[in-house]
Amino acid sequence: MKHRILIAEDSKSLLNRAKEIEKLFKKELEKRNLSETVSVLPTGSLGYEDIGVALVIYPDNVLYAPVNSKEDVQTIVKEHFVDGKVVKKLQKPFKRFSQIEKIMGIQQRIVLENVGKISPEDIKEYIAFDGYKGFENALKTSPEGVIKEIKDSELRGRGGAGFPTGKKWEFTAKAKSDKKYIICNADEGEPGTFKDRTIMEGDPHRVIEGMLIAGYATGANEGIIYIRGEYALSIERLENAISQAYDLGLLGNNILGSNFSFDLQVKKGAGAYVCGEETALLNSIEGKRGEPRKKPPYPPTAGLWGKPTVINNVETLANIPVIMRKGAEWFKQFGVPGSYGTKLFSLNGDLNWKGVVEVPFGTNLSFIINEIGGGLKDNLSLKAVILGGVSGSLLTPNEINTPVDFNSLAKIEAGPGSGSITVLSEKRCIVDVAKNIAKFFRHESCGKCTPCRVGTDQMYKIIDRISKGQGEGSDIQIMEKLGRTMKLTSFCGLGQTAPNAILQSLKKFPDEWNAHIFDKRCPVNVCRLEA
Amino acid sequence: MKKTSILEDLQKAESHSKENYITFKDVLQISENKKTPLSKIYGVGTFYSMLSFKPRGRHIIRICGGLACHLAGGDKLINKLKEVLQVDVGETTKDGLFTLEENSCLGLCSVAPVMMIDDEPYGNLTEEKVEEIIKSIKEGTKK
Amino acid sequence: MEEKTVKVKINGKEYEFPAGITILKACEKVGIHIPTLCYLEGVSEEGSCGVCVVEVKGARTLQRSCITELLEGMEIYTDTPAVKEAREMNLELALAHHPLDCMTCDKNGDCLLQDLAYEFNVKKSVFLDESEIYEKEKQTAWDTNPFIQFDPQKCILCRRCVDACENQAIVEAIGIAMRGIDEKVTTPFNLPLEQTNCQFCGECVQACPTGALIEKPRIGKGRIYDFKATDTVCSYCGVGCNIRLYTDKNNNIVMAKGLPNKLVNDTRTCVKGRFGFEYVNSKDRLTSPLIKENGKFRKASWDEAIQYIARKLTEIKNKYGSDSIGVLGSSRCTNEDNYVVQKFARAVIGTNNVDNCARLCHSSTVTGLKMALGAGAATNSIDDIKDADVMFIIGSNMTETHPVIAQIVKKHQKDDGAKIIVCDPRKTDIAKVADVFIQHNPGTDVALLNAIMKIIIDEDLVDEEFIKEHAVGFEQLKEELKDFDLSEASKITGVDLNLIKQAAEIYGQAKNATIFYTMGITQHTTGTDNVLSIANLALITGNLGREGAGINPLRGQANVQGACDLGALPNVFPGYQSVTDESVREKFEQAWGVKLPKDVGLPVSKFGEAALSGKLKAVYVMGENPLMSEPDINRVREGFEKLEFIVVQDIFLSETAQIADVVLPAAAAYEKDGTFTNTERRVQLLRVAKEKLKGTKFDWEIVSEVASAMGYPMHYKNSAEIMDEAASLTLSYAGIHHYRLEKQGIQWPCKDDSDPGTKILHRNGHFNKPNGRGVIHAVKFKPPAELPDKEYPFVLTTGRILYHYHTGNESRRVKVLDEFVPENYIEISKKDADKLNLKDGEIVKVTTRRGSIKVKTRVSDRPKEGVVFVSFHFHEAAANILTNPALDPIANIPEYKVAACRIEKV
Ligand SMILES: Nc1nc2c(c(=O)[nH]1)N[C@H]1C(S)=C(S)[C@@H](COP(=O)(O)OP(=O)(O)OC[C@H]3O[C@@H](n4cnc5c(=O)[nH]c(N)nc54)[C@H](O)[C@@H]3O)O[C@H]1N2
Ligand SMILES: Nc1nc2c(c(=O)[nH]1)N[C@H]1C(S)=C(S)[C@@H](COP(=O)(O)OP(=O)(O)OC[C@H]3O[C@@H](n4cnc5c(=O)[nH]c(N)nc54)[C@H](O)[C@@H]3O)O[C@H]1N2
Ligand SMILES: Cc1cc2nc3c(=O)[nH]c(=O)nc-3n(C[C@H](O)[C@H](O)[C@H](O)COP(=O)(O)O)c2cc1C
Ligand code: SF4
Ligand code: SF4
Ligand code: SF4
Ligand code: SF4
Ligand code: SF4
Ligand code: FES
Ligand code: FES
Ligand SMILES: [Mo]
């Protein structure tokens, strides 16, 4: 049987020169006349980008990392293919995933099932791994049937708000209109978040298939994937995938001989975090300033160009094919009631291992941090966790013993949000972190409404002052009042969530704030205060 | 041919420019083609941070100012870049090679601190690495 | 139909409201106060400020009452602590960069921000960092114009200005730029406003709730509470915008605002309405009667002047007969003034030689529409423009001449997708947004309209039903067009046949199409033919007598409609009652107690010739300036100089006044009460915005005194009494009395005191013609009187620009307007300029068979090749030195729109 070398070529691996390694392999194999029997292909993240280039060899299921030099390449080709033995010194376990599997008893990944397994640049590989089967099943079902299946799966949106996907689709399906749209929200811009990129770079067809099914179910025949402009590789992989899908008749008119037609294109963002907000995104696609629109009407009934529009997150859509392939009941064996399926998390901050993981809903947050993330770097102790991105919540060490699912997290005023987990060690200053968060929102506020436009600016200015030792006794009170007003009266989610983590930090770390304000001192010596 | 939006027209105009910006002439053309008043186009162009109406450097450096990068020492890198390039954030080097910009998060947080130069990401940066990268690009462009 | 309602609870009390209204509206209805800042109904509904928030039970956040619709079962609380805190906080935020300048701010007392600060007792925003305000770069780059000042420090980014520009003015000259805290209101690229498409209508200023945008001319003149406010009607064009004028303690008008009369201008004005009042305050105003002695004027008392005029006119009348005297009424003056002046001509002088500038303007409309439909006025209302799906605009530069109507037309296109067709030899601003723009050769409208009708007939787009029931003459028209050669028409007009086809199809297929036309149609030797062709087009497609379907000649001067209605015309008494009709004459003889002349009098366009030939010996001019406005003014002047006696009653020493024997100082429009009738036949009330200048009298008062001195006593107590008399003799005004006009005026015909007036003429296709049928006339194309040739190779067409008005007596005395456009220019196409090797701004000599003037060039994309345009506002380079006095044989309107000319470098 033919061997396949799959080299992780996600953005992060590419910056470790994965492309060069790919070339070296090709050269080396040619030299040894092995080109015919061994193919070299790119794949998505294998979870070792922090140490270097990683690759897997199928069907042997051997993972090597880091493969950083010509010598490494030569060794692998010679020993693995010529001599037929595993290069022990380079071999690594399928680290994260195998561990989860062991501990949680899960047989396979759902969303990332193909990432690191197939070449994202070749539609045939996707198809070989049951790609587009879910869509074929959908075509055999009625649109109502598809919606029922999704509703039965109780899939909730992975873009932050957790809205039931089947219900959303149903609104659009029921809306009468000559034109409907499916939009994939791939604007991923929340600091600390990079899970959608992992899907798009590693398994782009999965997103396309999800959108096809959504289109069929709702009666939409145009789709748009809105990808932030900075995600060059995601754009490239999806554009490539789309053109391959057109070539195979999986996009376009009368797909697979059915009555269903669907066109799909990629639109690039141009640097504005707020465009991740679904109505701002619509304006951006229409070519306008990315300012949010008034809701209601909501996009499912009046979206792009005023037409009914489903907007789903990349991860949400990536869940669809497998649900249509294996059924809602199968899907619901993962996760917990109220939060079925798995969730991707982007681990970052002061952890030993950082990257994207997929865990079933209900996994304990401390498990993710300590087991999967390998605990804190340098054996430091944990000070806080920012969960769900900077618009999410700030958790203290005694709050992390919580299962990550919508209901459990709600109890501690948190949510999975964007799926980011930023870990802060004891060496981090809360005021400094708050200032960085405030700066972010100040920079990304669209400016339309006063509470957010001026509120984010003032929030930053106050914290900046405090961090410099110019805080005043009344600052905390003003920040609380300001934060409340922003939460209650900002026009969109950006302004409404901007003060979240900051307000929580005021409540959870009062001593640290007070030290800055009253003692003019930073307890961990991060801020430079003028005495 | 698919109809483009104003934003796409602006993106296209910018991508055709060696100096990474949209000229007044481009804007007039878009206004004419799309029967859209200049004020609207100007409003769109100034909204998005990747677009510019002012000439920029041949290469755009986007240094990440997001939380993960900040925690990983991003501030030091920003200062290093300012020093090496002799510019402030938002400015273009005298030789017209680089414009330094700050990004809110490049989505590469697990290899923080990071920056992108044009479409190319660079991660796990140190001050030394930054200096090296700038140097090599400078040399590469000169050739 | 039963209206849907929703039941809600507000502050614990149950209410029922019509479905679909906002929380704010509902609360307003039941008297619950909710403060607002950014909301401007129908104009700006962005929900940006967050001041109007309320608590809705069950909602995660507070709701913006201004944009949130009521839903069944909502429980709303408008006054909880959370609501109060949020409102106050948002106000603090709005004030975070706002200087505490109320003490010196012109907006003090008229500022929503200030009102709210007072309401919430926000003395100084907790966020205010004064060092920052004054550091923040004061961005004045784009407000270098003379009209509008922008102070970014006072701007709270509520966006009302931007939305007003977009949704009311339909210009989008200013917009929101940048993002987040850097966001600002600005022009594209911070260009000076005058380099954008801004029309200086000031709609943005009026929308601004703070002192950020302010009219420059008012700065330093006082605060709102120093002014007296008066609601009246704009004195310029026939749109008849309702405005509020503010007069300071020195009796100077200092500011104007558009009033929210939804039926007319709905808060809009154009630059003249908003900034053009200053002439009333001008030092040049006449304040004493003047009598010419030895070629020089000297001041005289009213008594002396009146006695002198009475003596001279009586002398001339006795010596040469009544018809040796001509009288001009004025479309700048009120209905009451005009009623009195025509009565003076007929009853006191004994002549029908009375006319007004409508002659030069819409006399062909009156003749043409009278022949076709039986009434010479606009058939529809401004308010039903919104019901048209096609707007056909021909020979009207409405963006500059009827700017507020143009805004309404553009809004209808933008909001409702109605189509615009424009036919004009120049690519005017409205042409730029047209769905179809036909740029034809001047003077070829009959050929163009015939071509359009030929296509409509050929493609079976005629309304057979309508023609059968409501029209006659269709067969003749069909016959005429049977062999009509479309390609020949394309050659004559210089327009691609496809474009004409497009226009024909769009108009022909419209459910409701309305036509707007003005001087491009009327001011031709074929003016009547042009108007008949337009009537034909509407009749064969059945586009008359309904909302959104009709023929709308836009009337020019503020009261040109009224001057005609009240009989300042040589052939009719008030209400278009013919002077040759015995019974009519008897009625007026009885009412006025004198014998009245039987013969139709001279039109003003023949005054010059009649003076030259000696037929005319004296003229009495009220509020006209023929020595600037008539064609071929050198010849008119020659004629007038031969007259034995000229009286000019004006507010300035106009070109005509300068050669008068007696000049009488009148009160200006903003100093008067009385009525104007606008383009849609709406009679509207003027109110005294400022006391009339010492030494001046009302026009009707002056004429009455002359009449009395001539032995015919006229003693009116006030203008209302005059209108009552006029109404008693004029069927179409029978129900018009001042007390009935207080609210929003009445459209004639209005037959009695209970008649609400007439929105649409010829309702249900009923015309004031025999059998109630409209008459279709087969019209043949005739070329203009003067065509270009080798010696005079260009077609000169004349007209107006936005910033000036007619002979310039007013607009050129408004500092801001005159500063903005201080001199005349000739518009010439790039191609022609290149041919003549002319640069933009170069001075050239323009010559016709009548004379020449020197003007600067303005090389532009507007005129068609071979066509040049000059405005007639500037006495220094008077266009009417050049124009051709050839007249339309029926209407006697001069051909201002076509003359052959030559252009030379100097
Ligand atoms: N700013 C301003 N507004 C005014 C006035 C003013 O003086 N200044 N005056 C008021 C008065 S009294 C009047 S009557 C109206 C006049 O209002 P308009 O009639 O709109 O003004 P004009 O500039 O005389 O000419 C109108 C258009 O006719 C076009 N035209 C020239 N020749 C032809 C032709 O042969 N056929 C066709 N179809 N079009 C042709 C010209 O290019 C011009 O665009 O404006 C009123 N409003
Ligand atoms: N070349 C060329 N010539 C044209 C035209 C054209 O398109 N091209 N258009 C023609 C048309 S449509 C028109 S309507 C005429 C306009 O021609 P005119 O009516 O002659 O021009 P105006 O400048 O309006 O003159 C009005 C006079 O009345 C005075 N006045 C203003 N208010 C009052 C008042 O309340 N009382 C009194 N007593 N006097 C007052 C003014 O000072 C001014 O002197 O011009 C015509 N001439
Ligand atoms: C400021 C802001 C930024 C957002 N950014 C994203 C984003 O990058 N990606 C995303 O899928 N959803 C984002 N959302 C959420 C979207 O508005 C929307 O809820 C989501 O795309 C719906 O998809 P789902 O139903 O699949 O979750 C953002 C929301 C806000 C308020
Ligand atoms: S909350 Fe912020 S991002 Fe959202 S509309 Fe308001 S200013 Fe824009
Ligand atoms: S704009 Fe209003 S609040 Fe501001 S200084 Fe002027 S009057 Fe005072
Ligand atoms: S003056 Fe009128 S056209 Fe100019 S910016 Fe203001 S609203 Fe717009
Ligand atoms: S200029 Fe006035 S109307 Fe415009 S945004 Fe600023 S405060 Fe509002
Ligand atoms: S449109 Fe006419 S009536 Fe209205 S403000 Fe302008 S000049 Fe006056
Ligand atoms: S924080 Fe820098 S890449 Fe995300
Ligand atoms: S008035 Fe409602 S948000 Fe400003
Ligand atoms: Mo006129």
Side-chain angles (χ1 to χ4, degrees), chain C residues 150-151 154-162 174 176 185 204 207-213:
Chain C
F150 176 61
D151 180 348
K154 289 181 185 160
C155 175
I156 53 162
L157 289 163
C158 67
R159 305 186 170 198
R160 283 164 60 147
C161 54
V162 170
I174 52 173
I176 294 285
V185 168
C204 51
C208 181
T210 74
L213 282 170

PDB file of all heavy atoms in Angstrom, chain C residues 150-151 154-162 174 176 185 204 207-213, ligand 7:
ATOM      1  N   PHE C 150     -17.965  74.464  11.323  1.00  0.00           N
ATOM      2  CA  PHE C 150     -17.963  73.190  12.039  1.00  0.00           C
ATOM      3  C   PHE C 150     -16.942  73.258  13.161  1.00  0.00           C
ATOM      4  O   PHE C 150     -15.778  73.562  12.940  1.00  0.00           O
ATOM      5  CB  PHE C 150     -17.616  72.044  11.088  1.00  0.00           C
ATOM      6  CG  PHE C 150     -17.502  70.714  11.794  1.00  0.00           C
ATOM      7  CD1 PHE C 150     -18.587  70.173  12.467  1.00  0.00           C
ATOM      8  CD2 PHE C 150     -16.315  70.006  11.783  1.00  0.00           C
ATOM      9  CE1 PHE C 150     -18.487  68.953  13.123  1.00  0.00           C
ATOM     10  CE2 PHE C 150     -16.204  68.777  12.429  1.00  0.00           C
ATOM     11  CZ  PHE C 150     -17.295  68.251  13.100  1.00  0.00           C
ATOM     12  N   ASP C 151     -17.410  72.991  14.372  1.00  0.00           N
ATOM     13  CA  ASP C 151     -16.504  72.960  15.508  1.00  0.00           C
ATOM     14  C   ASP C 151     -16.484  71.542  16.067  1.00  0.00           C
ATOM     15  O   ASP C 151     -17.399  71.131  16.769  1.00  0.00           O
ATOM     16  CB  ASP C 151     -17.001  73.939  16.576  1.00  0.00           C
ATOM     17  CG  ASP C 151     -16.088  73.959  17.783  1.00  0.00           C
ATOM     18  OD1 ASP C 151     -15.213  73.063  17.882  1.00  0.00           O
ATOM     19  OD2 ASP C 151     -16.237  74.846  18.628  1.00  0.00           O
ATOM     20  N   LYS C 154     -17.385  70.569  19.656  1.00  0.00           N
ATOM     21  CA  LYS C 154     -18.761  70.564  20.152  1.00  0.00           C
ATOM     22  C   LYS C 154     -19.557  69.401  19.569  1.00  0.00           C
ATOM     23  O   LYS C 154     -20.718  69.204  19.910  1.00  0.00           O
ATOM     24  CB  LYS C 154     -19.437  71.890  19.833  1.00  0.00           C
ATOM     25  CG  LYS C 154     -18.882  73.028  20.688  1.00  0.00           C
ATOM     26  CD  LYS C 154     -19.562  74.352  20.409  1.00  0.00           C
ATOM     27  CE  LYS C 154     -18.879  75.455  21.192  1.00  0.00           C
ATOM     28  NZ  LYS C 154     -19.158  76.785  20.628  1.00  0.00           N
ATOM     29  N   CYS C 155     -18.925  68.671  18.672  1.00  0.00           N
ATOM     30  CA  CYS C 155     -19.634  67.583  17.995  1.00  0.00           C
ATOM     31  C   CYS C 155     -19.725  66.365  18.897  1.00  0.00           C
ATOM     32  O   CYS C 155     -18.742  65.900  19.452  1.00  0.00           O
ATOM     33  CB  CYS C 155     -18.916  67.227  16.705  1.00  0.00           C
ATOM     34  SG  CYS C 155     -19.632  65.806  15.887  1.00  0.00           S
ATOM     35  N   ILE C 156     -20.911  65.838  19.050  1.00  0.00           N
ATOM     36  CA  ILE C 156     -21.110  64.655  19.878  1.00  0.00           C
ATOM     37  C   ILE C 156     -21.343  63.415  19.021  1.00  0.00           C
ATOM     38  O   ILE C 156     -21.767  62.372  19.506  1.00  0.00           O
ATOM     39  CB  ILE C 156     -22.288  64.852  20.839  1.00  0.00           C
ATOM     40  CG1 ILE C 156     -23.526  65.276  20.044  1.00  0.00           C
ATOM     41  CG2 ILE C 156     -21.951  65.896  21.900  1.00  0.00           C
ATOM     42  CD1 ILE C 156     -24.801  65.082  20.817  1.00  0.00           C
ATOM     43  N   LEU C 157     -21.091  63.549  17.726  1.00  0.00           N
ATOM     44  CA  LEU C 157     -21.194  62.412  16.801  1.00  0.00           C
ATOM     45  C   LEU C 157     -22.541  61.711  16.831  1.00  0.00           C
ATOM     46  O   LEU C 157     -22.631  60.490  16.763  1.00  0.00           O
ATOM     47  CB  LEU C 157     -20.050  61.428  17.067  1.00  0.00           C
ATOM     48  CG  LEU C 157     -18.702  61.987  16.621  1.00  0.00           C
ATOM     49  CD1 LEU C 157     -17.558  61.221  17.261  1.00  0.00           C
ATOM     50  CD2 LEU C 157     -18.586  61.961  15.107  1.00  0.00           C
ATOM     51  N   CYS C 158     -23.573  62.515  16.910  1.00  0.00           N
ATOM     52  CA  CYS C 158     -24.918  61.946  16.913  1.00  0.00           C
ATOM     53  C   CYS C 158     -25.352  61.549  15.508  1.00  0.00           C
ATOM     54  O   CYS C 158     -26.315  60.826  15.335  1.00  0.00           O
ATOM     55  CB  CYS C 158     -25.907  62.958  17.460  1.00  0.00           C
ATOM     56  SG  CYS C 158     -26.115  64.382  16.380  1.00  0.00           S
ATOM     57  N   ARG C 159     -24.664  62.086  14.507  1.00  0.00           N
ATOM     58  CA  ARG C 159     -24.894  61.746  13.095  1.00  0.00           C
ATOM     59  C   ARG C 159     -26.141  62.370  12.488  1.00  0.00           C
ATOM     60  O   ARG C 159     -26.532  62.021  11.374  1.00  0.00           O
ATOM     61  CB  ARG C 159     -24.961  60.236  12.876  1.00  0.00           C
ATOM     62  CG  ARG C 159     -23.742  59.520  13.402  1.00  0.00           C
ATOM     63  CD  ARG C 159     -23.775  58.074  13.052  1.00  0.00           C
ATOM     64  NE  ARG C 159     -22.481  57.482  13.369  1.00  0.00           N
ATOM     65  CZ  ARG C 159     -22.062  56.340  12.883  1.00  0.00           C
ATOM     66  NH1 ARG C 159     -22.815  55.678  12.060  1.00  0.00           N
ATOM     67  NH2 ARG C 159     -20.891  55.867  13.214  1.00  0.00           N
ATOM     68  N   ARG C 160     -26.767  63.244  13.213  1.00  0.00           N
ATOM     69  CA  ARG C 160     -27.971  63.838  12.630  1.00  0.00           C
ATOM     70  C   ARG C 160     -27.646  64.616  11.360  1.00  0.00           C
ATOM     71  O   ARG C 160     -28.403  64.599  10.386  1.00  0.00           O
ATOM     72  CB  ARG C 160     -28.656  64.741  13.661  1.00  0.00           C
ATOM     73  CG  ARG C 160     -29.425  63.940  14.689  1.00  0.00           C
ATOM     74  CD  ARG C 160     -29.785  64.719  15.926  1.00  0.00           C
ATOM     75  NE  ARG C 160     -30.620  65.882  15.689  1.00  0.00           N
ATOM     76  CZ  ARG C 160     -31.536  66.315  16.542  1.00  0.00           C
ATOM     77  NH1 ARG C 160     -31.765  65.684  17.678  1.00  0.00           N
ATOM     78  NH2 ARG C 160     -32.233  67.390  16.277  1.00  0.00           N
ATOM     79  N   CYS C 161     -26.513  65.293  11.353  1.00  0.00           N
ATOM     80  CA  CYS C 161     -26.127  66.089  10.183  1.00  0.00           C
ATOM     81  C   CYS C 161     -25.895  65.201   8.970  1.00  0.00           C
ATOM     82  O   CYS C 161     -26.358  65.492   7.867  1.00  0.00           O
ATOM     83  CB  CYS C 161     -24.873  66.888  10.482  1.00  0.00           C
ATOM     84  SG  CYS C 161     -23.507  65.871  11.069  1.00  0.00           S
ATOM     85  N   VAL C 162     -25.170  64.125   9.209  1.00  0.00           N
ATOM     86  CA  VAL C 162     -24.838  63.221   8.108  1.00  0.00           C
ATOM     87  C   VAL C 162     -26.112  62.606   7.534  1.00  0.00           C
ATOM     88  O   VAL C 162     -26.291  62.514   6.317  1.00  0.00           O
ATOM     89  CB  VAL C 162     -23.873  62.125   8.610  1.00  0.00           C
ATOM     90  CG1 VAL C 162     -23.710  61.034   7.577  1.00  0.00           C
ATOM     91  CG2 VAL C 162     -22.533  62.737   8.976  1.00  0.00           C
ATOM     92  N   ILE C 174     -21.190  65.214   3.298  1.00  0.00           N
ATOM     93  CA  ILE C 174     -20.428  64.910   4.498  1.00  0.00           C
ATOM     94  C   ILE C 174     -20.751  63.492   4.945  1.00  0.00           C
ATOM     95  O   ILE C 174     -21.789  62.944   4.596  1.00  0.00           O
ATOM     96  CB  ILE C 174     -20.733  65.893   5.647  1.00  0.00           C
ATOM     97  CG1 ILE C 174     -22.240  65.998   5.890  1.00  0.00           C
ATOM     98  CG2 ILE C 174     -20.137  67.249   5.354  1.00  0.00           C
ATOM     99  CD1 ILE C 174     -22.602  66.816   7.111  1.00  0.00           C
ATOM    100  N   ILE C 176     -19.443  60.078   7.887  1.00  0.00           N
ATOM    101  CA  ILE C 176     -18.705  59.646   9.063  1.00  0.00           C
ATOM    102  C   ILE C 176     -17.430  58.979   8.573  1.00  0.00           C
ATOM    103  O   ILE C 176     -17.469  58.135   7.688  1.00  0.00           O
ATOM    104  CB  ILE C 176     -19.543  58.625   9.868  1.00  0.00           C
ATOM    105  CG1 ILE C 176     -20.779  59.283  10.440  1.00  0.00           C
ATOM    106  CG2 ILE C 176     -18.707  57.964  10.954  1.00  0.00           C
ATOM    107  CD1 ILE C 176     -20.525  60.179  11.625  1.00  0.00           C
ATOM    108  N   VAL C 185     -17.033  63.560  11.907  1.00  0.00           N
ATOM    109  CA  VAL C 185     -17.877  64.007  10.812  1.00  0.00           C
ATOM    110  C   VAL C 185     -16.988  64.805   9.886  1.00  0.00           C
ATOM    111  O   VAL C 185     -16.309  65.731  10.324  1.00  0.00           O
ATOM    112  CB  VAL C 185     -18.991  64.926  11.344  1.00  0.00           C
ATOM    113  CG1 VAL C 185     -19.696  65.623  10.196  1.00  0.00           C
ATOM    114  CG2 VAL C 185     -19.977  64.134  12.176  1.00  0.00           C
ATOM    115  N   CYS C 204     -27.996  70.122   7.260  1.00  0.00           N
ATOM    116  CA  CYS C 204     -27.149  69.532   8.309  1.00  0.00           C
ATOM    117  C   CYS C 204     -27.103  70.449   9.526  1.00  0.00           C
ATOM    118  O   CYS C 204     -27.155  69.982  10.660  1.00  0.00           O
ATOM    119  CB  CYS C 204     -25.739  69.309   7.759  1.00  0.00           C
ATOM    120  SG  CYS C 204     -25.031  70.757   6.958  1.00  0.00           S
ATOM    121  N   ALA C 207     -30.181  70.253  11.489  1.00  0.00           N
ATOM    122  CA  ALA C 207     -30.340  68.983  12.196  1.00  0.00           C
ATOM    123  C   ALA C 207     -29.457  68.890  13.434  1.00  0.00           C
ATOM    124  O   ALA C 207     -29.717  68.098  14.328  1.00  0.00           O
ATOM    125  CB  ALA C 207     -30.032  67.825  11.251  1.00  0.00           C
ATOM    126  N   CYS C 208     -28.416  69.679  13.474  1.00  0.00           N
ATOM    127  CA  CYS C 208     -27.438  69.540  14.554  1.00  0.00           C
ATOM    128  C   CYS C 208     -28.024  69.981  15.891  1.00  0.00           C
ATOM    129  O   CYS C 208     -28.503  71.097  16.020  1.00  0.00           O
ATOM    130  CB  CYS C 208     -26.179  70.347  14.237  1.00  0.00           C
ATOM    131  SG  CYS C 208     -24.905  70.188  15.520  1.00  0.00           S
ATOM    132  N   PRO C 209     -27.968  69.108  16.882  1.00  0.00           N
ATOM    133  CA  PRO C 209     -28.560  69.462  18.170  1.00  0.00           C
ATOM    134  C   PRO C 209     -27.645  70.314  19.040  1.00  0.00           C
ATOM    135  O   PRO C 209     -28.047  70.765  20.107  1.00  0.00           O
ATOM    136  CB  PRO C 209     -28.794  68.105  18.829  1.00  0.00           C
ATOM    137  CG  PRO C 209     -27.735  67.218  18.273  1.00  0.00           C
ATOM    138  CD  PRO C 209     -27.447  67.734  16.882  1.00  0.00           C
ATOM    139  N   THR C 210     -26.421  70.506  18.596  1.00  0.00           N
ATOM    140  CA  THR C 210     -25.470  71.273  19.389  1.00  0.00           C
ATOM    141  C   THR C 210     -24.950  72.457  18.579  1.00  0.00           C
ATOM    142  O   THR C 210     -25.429  72.716  17.476  1.00  0.00           O
ATOM    143  CB  THR C 210     -24.259  70.415  19.795  1.00  0.00           C
ATOM    144  OG1 THR C 210     -23.435  70.243  18.638  1.00  0.00           O
ATOM    145  CG2 THR C 210     -24.683  69.059  20.323  1.00  0.00           C
ATOM    146  N   GLY C 211     -23.944  73.083  19.090  1.00  0.00           N
ATOM    147  CA  GLY C 211     -23.335  74.201  18.377  1.00  0.00           C
ATOM    148  C   GLY C 211     -22.225  73.771  17.441  1.00  0.00           C
ATOM    149  O   GLY C 211     -21.467  74.600  16.954  1.00  0.00           O
ATOM    150  N   ALA C 212     -22.133  72.467  17.171  1.00  0.00           N
ATOM    151  CA  ALA C 212     -21.032  71.994  16.326  1.00  0.00           C
ATOM    152  C   ALA C 212     -21.147  72.515  14.898  1.00  0.00           C
ATOM    153  O   ALA C 212     -20.169  72.932  14.300  1.00  0.00           O
ATOM    154  CB  ALA C 212     -20.984  70.472  16.331  1.00  0.00           C
ATOM    155  N   LEU C 213     -22.348  72.465  14.362  1.00  0.00           N
ATOM    156  CA  LEU C 213     -22.567  73.035  13.037  1.00  0.00           C
ATOM    157  C   LEU C 213     -23.431  74.264  13.206  1.00  0.00           C
ATOM    158  O   LEU C 213     -24.481  74.216  13.836  1.00  0.00           O
ATOM    159  CB  LEU C 213     -23.285  72.030  12.135  1.00  0.00           C
ATOM    160  CG  LEU C 213     -22.438  70.914  11.542  1.00  0.00           C
ATOM    161  CD1 LEU C 213     -23.325  69.869  10.889  1.00  0.00           C
ATOM    162  CD2 LEU C 213     -21.436  71.465  10.539  1.00  0.00           C
TER     163      LEU C 213
HETATM  164  S1  SF4 D   7     -22.030  68.025  13.819  1.00  0.00           S
HETATM  165 FE1  SF4 D   7     -23.844  68.168  15.080  1.00  0.00          FE
HETATM  166  S2  SF4 D   7     -25.324  66.864  14.043  1.00  0.00           S
HETATM  167 FE2  SF4 D   7     -23.341  66.338  13.239  1.00  0.00          FE
HETATM  168  S3  SF4 D   7     -22.709  64.620  14.467  1.00  0.00           S
HETATM  169 FE3  SF4 D   7     -21.837  66.448  15.372  1.00  0.00          FE
HETATM  170  S4  SF4 D   7     -23.296  67.073  16.920  1.00  0.00           S
HETATM  171 FE4  SF4 D   7     -24.342  65.614  15.609  1.00  0.00          FE
END
